[in-house]
Amino acid sequence: MDMRKYLRSFGYAFEGILMASKEQNMKSHVLSAIIVMLAGYFTGLSRIEWYIVLLLIALMLALEMINTAIERVVDLASPDIHPLAKQAKDIAAGAVLVFALFSAIIGLLIFLPKWF
C-alpha cells in the first residue's frame, strides 16, 4: 500500500466535505443537526437514543452529499435539459426527502415521550 496515496485520499475526502458544506441544502441539514443535538442535550437522551440520533444525522449528511454528487455528475453528463437527467436528479432528491421524513418520525418517537 502506498501510504502517500492513502493519506492523500483523506485530503480529497475532506475537500469533498468542504465543497458539500457550501450547498444550501447541506447548510440546512447541519443547522437541523445542531438543533437536534442541543435538544438532545437538554432533554437528557439515553446512550442508545444518542446513538440513534447521531447515526440518523450522519446518514442524513452522507445521503445529502451523495445526492449532490449525483446532481453534479448528471449535470456534467447532460448539460442540456433531458427528461432522464431530471428523473435521476429528482429520484436522488426524493431519496433524501424519504430519509429526512423517516428521521423526523424517529426523532419524534424519541423526543415526544420525554417532553410530555
Side-chain angles (χ1 to χ4, degrees):
M1 174 193 287
D2 184 350
M3 189 56 81
R4 281 181 287 177
K5 281 176 109 175
Y6 179 70
L7 293 175
R8 220 176 306 139
S9 70
F10 283 96
Y12 298 140
F14 285 117
E15 190 176 325
I17 292 169
L18 287 175
M19 278 188 274
S21 70
K22 296 175 184 173
E23 296 291 317
Q24 180 178 336
N25 288 342
M26 183 60 94
K27 288 177 183 179
S28 69
H29 289 305
V30 170
L31 177 62
S32 297
I34 291 168
I35 292 168
V36 167
M37 287 189 289
L38 287 171
Y41 175 78
F42 289 112
T43 300
L45 298 182
S46 71
R47 184 181 302 230
I48 296 296
E49 290 167 333
W50 271 114
Y51 293 157
I52 293 167
V53 166
L54 293 174
L55 179 63
L56 291 173
I57 289 170
L59 289 171
M60 185 75 255
L61 296 176
L63 187 57
E64 181 59 45
M65 291 173 69
I66 291 168
N67 177 51
T68 300
I70 288 170
E71 288 181 354
R72 299 265 171 91
V73 169
V74 168
D75 288 345
L76 178 65
S78 181
D80 298 326
I81 296 174
H82 190 281
L84 290 177
K86 179 184 180 337
Q87 287 176 18
K89 292 169 80 169
D90 290 351
I91 290 167
V96 173
L97 180 59
V98 167
F99 191 81
L101 291 173
F102 277 89
S103 294
I105 291 168
I106 293 168
L108 290 172
L109 292 171
I110 290 171
F111 282 96
L112 286 181
K114 294 180 176 297
W115 292 343
F116 297 105

